[in-house]
Amino acid sequence: MLVVTVLFLAIILYFFLKKKRTKCDKSFPQPPGNILLGHILHITSTTHILDGAKNFLSYGDTVTLRFGPDICPVRKGLLTQDHSLIEFMLSNNNLIKKSENYKFLKKWLGNGLLVSDGDYWKRRRKILTAAFHFEILKKFVEVFESAGDVLIEKLQEYDEDTSVDLHTLTTLYALDVICETAMGTKINAQSGHNIAYVQSVRNMCKTVIERAFSPFKIHDVFYWLTRDYYKQQKALKILHGFTMNVINSKKDRPVRNDEKKTAFLDALLKFFQKDDYLSISEIREEVDTFMFEGHDTTASGISFALYCLADHPEVQEKVFQEQKEIFGDRKKPATTYSDLQQMKYLECVLKETLRLYPSVPVIGRHTTEEINFDGYVIPKNTNIVIFIYGLHRNQDYFPEPEKFKPERFENIDNAFSFSYIPFSAGSRNCIGQKFAMLEMKSVISKIVRQFEIKPTVPRHEVQLSPETVLKSGNGVKVTLKKRD
């Protein structure tokens, strides 16, 4: 009798939950998944994320994914590469909240610009925009150049037959740049200094993304039982301690308006000293945010651009000839902001690189209200994952999408502005995108003038792995031949 009763109640519960399933479930296709765990087991490591997403999206340009049983999931959301839905989401000023996985960054970044939302985010964005005025960016070119000179010295140590792992070296370069521009402090990462800080940045980036794809670590109640939790706590102590030491050394010192270079931190301290518009903890959050966002993304773009140039010698030659037109036969010119602005073809190369290898291949939004889109209903509290990597390979907007063709950006149709979003788009686009483009131009132009970049023998095949930003699980390797 008890068995019959339990079975009867189970049937009633099943139909009750089935009736409660959202309209969104009925509208968007759902790829086959595990009965109990849903789709989480389809991605077992960071190197499987892109292939897993492409497999899911073979069922439609927008699909439903779930974590947990089909009729009663723990969490459910959408994955999309649909241009129309992406444009709708990113151009809607009411849909600016980031998806739930961004909460894993809060221990490090607090309510910094990347993870905050609502009026709080809007106020921060308005304050911080002034720190990226082009007049300020001009002053940073000197930092790009000096850090780039150190990188050139490191590359000179490799002979023509030795493969070079670009991402390792460019990450240290980018850390040197972002520390000096964001905090006004040199850490000399490329020279082997501040190893603990450098390693802590790496550990934080890796643990955050691994947590997002673990059915065990994703829950706070279990996470503290893992080794990653204690690794993260140690990293946070070092990262926050370093930032606060720099802030405390500067906060009571008057910021001079006539300084040759004004670091991002100095610009924020002006608000603190003026009227306490920003607290010290808020300043720390924003500096940490730019430390996080401003080094790995540019390192990714630089390394993949050089990798593409190695594979396409005809493109590399055009980049080199453009450099000769600007600088003549000078080997070590003092590059200026104006020089970087003239590098139009190199800019096309970078744009095409970021199309094929977007530094941030996946972003997320969280709905705070029910949304009606093109006849579909997307419920409140839905996480929507925007698959930029797939969007950039849409042949409707990019003919021969798998080919590396920088020329496509010489006359790109602006009518499809949301089909190309390496720096996101809309009100939450990347505030530092001009900074990043200048930095990438500066160092790549310097490398191309000094070296001919060639593929390894046998050719190195990258294993793409989104670890908060797009990397390669086996490095990004080329060989270098010194130019005469």
Side-chain angles (χ1 to χ4, degrees), residues 134 137-145 323 326-327 330 332-343 437-439 441-443 445-446 449:
F134 78 94
L137 295 180
K138 283 182 181 180
K139 299 174 183 178
F140 289 153
V141 172
E142 184 180 320
V143 178
F144 303 156
E145 287 293 297
Q323 297 299 307
I326 296 171
F327 299 111
R330 290 178 293 160
K332 296 182 179 180
T335 307
T336 66
Y337 179 84
S338 176
D339 293 331
L340 296 177
Q341 294 298 98
Q342 292 182 59
M343 299 177 188
M437 288 297 288
L438 284 174
E439 180 182 351
K441 276 186 180 182
S442 172
V443 71
S445 67
K446 189 181 291 288
R449 276 181 268 130

Side-chain angles (χ1 to χ4, degrees), residues 173-419:
Y173 157 81
L175 272 171
D176 274 346
V177 168
I178 199 65
C179 275
E180 190 167 353
T181 55
M183 289 192 280
T185 299
K186 291 186 177 183
I187 66 168
N188 299 312
Q190 295 181 90
S191 300
H193 298 284
N194 290 289
I195 297 299
Y197 182 82
V198 172
Q199 191 58 50
S200 296
V201 171
R202 290 174 177 170
N203 287 341
M204 278 300 301
C205 291
K206 190 171 180 62
T207 56
V208 164
I209 194 65
E210 288 182 347
R211 187 179 181 190
F213 287 94
S214 169
F216 183 72
K217 296 176 187 176
I218 201 170
H219 301 289
D220 290 338
V221 69
F222 299 126
Y223 186 54
W224 72 273
L225 298 172
T226 68
R227 182 181 297 178
D228 277 2
Y229 172 81
Y230 295 96
K231 185 189 294 185
Q232 186 180 89
Q233 292 300 107
K234 181 180 178 181
L236 284 171
K237 185 177 180 180
I238 293 170
L239 294 170
H240 287 165
F242 184 88
T243 307
M244 285 307 303
N245 284 338
V246 176
I247 291 173
N248 288 330
S249 71
K250 291 190 171 192
K251 69 182 178 70
D252 297 322
R253 188 189 73 185
V255 179
R256 293 170 52 192
N257 291 323
D258 60 344
E259 288 183 3
K260 193 171 183 181
K261 295 189 295 291
T262 301
F264 177 67
L265 170 57
D266 294 327
L268 296 184
L269 285 172
K270 287 182 181 179
F271 287 99
F272 172 75
Q273 295 171 350
K274 184 178 179 182
D275 54 11
D276 289 337
Y277 201 49
L278 286 174
S279 69
I280 288 297
S281 62
E282 287 176 324
I283 290 173
R284 195 270 302 162
E285 291 170 354
E286 298 304 347
V287 173
D288 280 340
T289 294
F290 282 92
M291 288 300 303
F292 166 67
E293 288 195 277
H295 84 281
D296 246 3
T297 50
T298 51
S300 173
I302 294 163
S303 56
F304 282 119
L306 294 170
Y307 180 76
C308 290
L309 289 176
D311 272 351
H312 299 84
E314 73 288 352
V315 173
Q316 185 178 169
E317 181 60 24
K318 288 184 71 173
V319 172
F320 181 62
Q321 290 304 320
E322 181 179 66
Q323 297 299 307
K324 292 195 73 172
E325 289 172 11
I326 296 171
F327 299 111
D329 293 326
R330 290 178 293 160
K331 286 290 185 70
K332 296 182 179 180
T335 307
T336 66
Y337 179 84
S338 176
D339 293 331
L340 296 177
Q341 294 298 98
Q342 292 182 59
M343 299 177 188
K344 301 299 184 182
Y345 187 70
L346 177 54
E347 185 169 319
C348 291
V349 167
L350 285 168
K351 287 180 177 179
E352 178 71 343
T353 299
L354 293 174
R355 183 186 69 81
L356 287 170
Y357 303 103
S359 296
V360 182
V362 177
I363 60 174
R365 291 290 186 270
H366 184 84
T367 60
T368 55
E369 59 188 43
E370 184 176 276
I371 296 171
N372 292 285
F373 167 75
D374 196 25
Y376 300 117
V377 176
I378 301 175
K380 180 180 178 180
N381 294 326
T382 297
N383 287 304
I384 303 178
V385 177
I386 297 172
F387 190 47
I388 295 175
Y389 183 90
L391 173 70
H392 284 184
R393 283 168 165 74
N394 188 327
Q395 62 183 0
D396 290 341
Y397 307 117
F398 302 104
E400 299 181 293
E402 299 298 328
K403 288 189 176 181
F404 183 73
K405 299 171 62 176
E407 288 74 17
R408 73 172 86 237
F409 282 96
E410 291 177 341
N411 297 292
I412 192 166
D413 188 345
N414 289 324
F416 302 121
S417 57
F418 284 85
S419 63

Side-chain angles (χ1 to χ4, degrees), residues 26 48 81 116 134 136 276 305 340 352 398 423:
K26 298 174 183 177
H48 295 155
Q81 62 182 5
S116 58
F134 78 94
I136 294 176
D276 289 337
L340 296 177
E352 178 71 343
F398 302 104
F423 297 102

Side-chain angles (χ1 to χ4, degrees), residues 14 16-26 30 66 70-73 76:
Y14 173 82
F16 172 76
L17 291 172
K18 188 174 182 180
K19 185 177 180 181
K20 296 287 286 183
R21 292 172 71 174
T22 68
K23 296 177 184 178
C24 180
D25 280 322
K26 298 174 183 177
Q30 179 172 292
R66 61 180 172 83
D70 188 27
I71 62 171
C72 186
K76 185 173 286 190

